[in-house]
Amino acid sequence: MTRYAVSTLGTLCLMLSANLAHAEGKPLPPPASDGQPVMELTIEKKDSKIVCSPAELRLPANTNAELRVINKADQPVTLTMDGQFENGLVQHVDGDQGHSASEKGYTIKLNGKATLKFRTMAAGEHPYGCTGVNSQSNPFVGKYILVPPAG
């Protein structure tokens, strides 16, 4: 009886592994728009706090986009956007950055510049954050707004 249970469990694990691998390799559908908007995000330290500008990032939904990040703060800063850097949406990353092990963010090095190219998520509003490695108890929180593409 135990032999069959182990065999069944092994088969189940293989099936789940195959399904997860298939889901991760699934290509994205075509973007909702042909354009690729470019936005710049600047990180600074003001009044002993990390501040990201603009506080409101607005991009078209389901579109390929480019975010150019400049860190002018006195410390490395981790940029997070709920769900945006997960699920295969990131297409290319370049510059002075490191990817968080959790896939939830990118740490921009001290005085660093980075370019993030990704497919935006579906329309909606999400928080985004900038957290200094030396000031984690006081993160900056902005709005990441994805609007339906024009056209």
Side-chain angles (χ1 to χ4, degrees), residues 3-116:
R3 180 176 58 178
Y4 294 115
V6 171
S7 175
T8 303
L9 182 59
T11 303
L12 180 61
C13 288
L14 282 173
M15 289 172 50
L16 287 173
S17 296
N19 285 339
L20 287 174
H22 178 68
E24 290 175 357
K26 188 177 177 184
L28 294 172
S33 170
D34 290 333
Q36 181 168 336
V38 177
M39 182 163 251
E40 189 169 284
L41 178 73
T42 303
I43 305 167
E44 298 177 295
K45 191 164 185 182
K46 294 182 180 176
D47 299 325
S48 301
K49 293 182 181 182
I50 297 296
V51 178
C52 285
S53 178
E56 188 175 282
L57 293 173
R58 184 179 294 267
L59 288 168
N62 299 313
T63 302
N64 294 333
E66 182 175 314
L67 183 63
R68 296 178 184 163
V69 185
I70 301 166
N71 184 4
K72 296 180 179 179
D74 64 349
Q75 59 191 288
V77 175
T78 300
L79 170 67
T80 55
M81 292 180 176
D82 280 358
Q84 184 59 71
F85 299 140
E86 303 172 40
N87 303 319
L89 296 173
V90 176
Q91 299 166 332
H92 181 76
V93 179
D94 193 24
D96 305 318
Q97 53 70 39
H99 192 220
S100 300
S102 66
E103 293 191 3
K104 296 189 182 299
Y106 285 89
T107 300
I108 312 303
K109 296 177 183 177
L110 177 67
N111 297 316
K113 294 180 181 181
T115 301
L116 309 173

